[in-house]
Amino acid sequence: YMGSEVGYGVFAREKIQLGEIVAIYSGDIELKTKSLSNHSLSLNPETNYTINASLQGGIARFIQHAPLC
């Protein structure tokens, strides 16, 4: 779904090869105890840290990181 409530995402102009890096998710490293924004990412549940891209993030924060079901 795309729209004003969830955004419009990022689209590739060229074919992306399997395993190709298209962007690096970056942002401020914060403790998970802080309030998480819509642009927070935590890939390792065993750590106490998350990456918050809301203020310092790049284009990767707009890429869908979960499969649509």
Side-chain angles (χ1 to χ4, degrees), residues 23-54:
I24 296 174
Y25 197 91
S26 61
D28 295 324
I29 298 174
E30 299 178 345
L31 287 172
K32 285 184 186 176
T33 56
K34 287 192 173 187
S35 166
L36 297 179
S37 78
N38 290 336
H39 297 294
S40 290
L41 177 67
S42 179
L43 296 176
N44 186 345
E46 297 178 11
T47 68
N48 291 326
Y49 298 98
T50 186
I51 300 172
N52 183 345
S54 60

